[in-house]
Amino acid sequence: MDLWADILTDIFFSICKRLAHRDIIVVNSVCKSWQMSGSLYLSGNQISPKFPWLMLAEKDKWGHSSSDTVRNFYDMSNGKIYNLNLPETISRVCLSVGFGWLLTIDINSSINLFHPLIGRKIELPHYSTLLKNNVIGRDKKVRRILFWKAVASTDPWNYKTQNFNQDCVIIATYERGLPAIVKLGDKAWKDIQTRHRHYYDDVFYRSQYILYYM
């Protein structure tokens, strides 16, 4: 195995180009050397499966240990479940913002962007920076309803500079459908002033942000 572990990076990348998305995930679990090369390949190539993977909820206290760092993903293309070691997502609320990234919130209301396949993490301003935040500190369980939905305007990661994308904007609806915005690198979330106060969905479409209300 030592010879295979020392395979040249160019050859490794050439092999990855011929593999399905799920097979690259399997390759990453073979050894530390392949994990490093696989992560480098994924971070330099914007790869997405033909069908989205569904991130399954954490199990309850009878089926999930607090020391467990594995999250399960359901592959819609073949009906299989893949187990990924992702301690960064354990005991955190996870919302998809698109482009393979998750917005995660911990028990202290700290917010991050995390990409489970390339292992990149980007810190976002704390939830308390929202001007209309009036629930922090009342109940630790409040994190369960901090954000209803969040979307990214573009991929949060710049694969050329290997740093966060300064042009990326995250827009979220929080509490009872109030919209807020943050640009990567900002120090605080900003409330969006609108005529309506309760929005139920939000999307980016053709460089425009659309809010839905009822």
Side-chain angles (χ1 to χ4, degrees):
M1 182 60 201
D2 290 341
L3 294 177
W4 282 104
D6 296 331
I7 188 173
L8 295 176
T9 302
D10 290 343
I11 297 176
F12 184 90
F13 283 8
S14 179
I15 294 173
C16 287
K17 290 179 181 179
R18 293 164 172 79
L19 296 177
H21 180 270
R22 57 179 174 269
D23 294 327
I24 298 177
I25 305 303
V26 175
V27 166
N28 281 6
S29 64
V30 172
C31 62
K32 291 184 178 180
S33 177
W34 284 21
Q35 183 182 30
M36 293 179 60
S37 297
S39 298
L40 183 62
Y41 177 79
L42 287 170
S43 65
N45 296 270
Q46 299 182 32
I47 301 173
S48 60
K50 293 182 179 180
F51 295 93
W53 281 18
L54 301 181
M55 184 176 184
L56 304 183
E58 292 183 71
K59 299 177 183 178
D60 57 28
K61 61 182 179 180
W62 293 279
H64 182 275
S65 170
S66 60
S67 62
D68 192 0
T69 59
V70 174
R71 292 300 295 260
N72 302 318
F73 291 80
Y74 177 75
D75 187 344
M76 297 174 60
S77 65
N78 59 13
K80 293 183 178 180
I81 294 178
Y82 294 89
N83 303 319
L84 302 183
N85 184 39
L86 299 172
E88 298 88 352
T89 64
I90 300 303
S91 298
R92 300 179 73 99
V93 174
C94 297
L95 301 174
S96 172
V97 298
F99 306 96
W101 288 81
L102 300 173
L103 183 147
T104 71
I105 311 171
D106 69 7
I107 192 68
N108 297 312
S109 303
S110 296
I111 306 172
N112 293 320
L113 291 178
F114 177 70
H115 197 301
L117 300 186
I118 65 176
R120 301 292 185 182
K121 183 172 71 173
I122 303 173
E123 292 186 3
L124 295 180
H126 193 273
Y127 184 77
S128 60
T129 62
L130 280 167
L131 297 180
K132 292 182 175 61
N133 172 25
N134 57 9
V135 294
I136 286 295
R138 290 185 185 176
D139 187 347
K140 290 184 178 180
K141 293 182 180 180
V142 75
R143 67 187 180 89
R144 295 292 179 185
I145 58 170
L146 289 184
F147 285 138
W148 294 88
K149 184 178 179 181
V151 292
S153 61
T154 187
D155 196 315
W157 192 253
N158 188 319
Y159 293 89
K160 293 183 179 180
T161 64
Q162 289 296 297
N163 205 340
F164 69 83
N165 186 352
Q166 296 181 350
D167 295 326
C168 179
V169 172
I170 306 295
I171 298 183
T173 49
Y174 71 103
E175 291 190 28
R176 298 181 179 179
L178 302 175
I181 185 173
V182 67
K183 186 176 182 180
L184 298 194
D186 286 353
K187 300 299 183 182
W189 289 85
K190 298 177 183 178
D191 286 294
I192 299 176
Q193 301 300 322
T194 62
R195 293 175 55 190
H196 303 279
R197 303 308 305 154
H198 304 293
Y199 293 90
Y200 293 87
D201 201 359
D202 49 6
V203 295
F204 269 107
Y205 180 70
R206 294 184 176 179
S207 302
Q208 292 185 333
Y209 180 59
I210 303 173
L211 283 166
Y212 295 92
Y213 70 93
M214 294 180 65

